[in-house]
Amino acid sequence: MGFDPLYVANEGRFAVFVPEKDIEKTLSILQAKIPESSLIGFVKQTATPLVTLQSTIGAKRIIDMLSGEQLPRIC
């Protein structure tokens, strides 16, 4: 259908940002209640402030701000 999953409403999911020293403790707490919880990325300071995604095969993609209207939630 051509929908980009990064810009479609996704209920029941959230991202949490914690200091690097707290990653293991946070994951163990979350996984006790939500077994599929996982680490999906890191925040690091760079010369150019961009949000990028690196795929499992190593390709990188810049995640742009949504242009236009967000798709409505279909409930």
Side-chain angles (χ1 to χ4, degrees):
M1 297 182 114
F3 297 135
D4 187 332
L6 294 173
Y7 300 107
V8 178
N10 191 347
E11 295 180 6
R13 305 284 187 244
F14 71 97
V16 60
F17 295 81
V18 298
E20 191 170 5
K21 66 180 181 58
D22 296 330
I23 291 173
E24 292 302 320
K25 181 178 180 181
T26 303
L27 272 175
S28 66
I29 292 168
L30 287 171
Q31 289 172 341
K33 295 287 183 183
I34 310 165
E36 63 271 15
S37 300
S38 63
L39 175 65
I40 62 166
F42 295 93
V43 175
K44 62 182 180 179
Q45 187 171 355
T46 61
T48 307
L50 294 174
V51 175
T52 58
L53 176 141
Q54 184 171 348
S55 72
T56 56
I57 62 170
K60 289 188 179 178
R61 169 182 166 187
I62 295 173
I63 307 300
D64 288 323
M65 293 290 290
L66 179 63
S67 63
E69 294 292 321
Q70 183 176 7
L71 290 172
R73 292 167 45 162
I74 302 170
C75 298

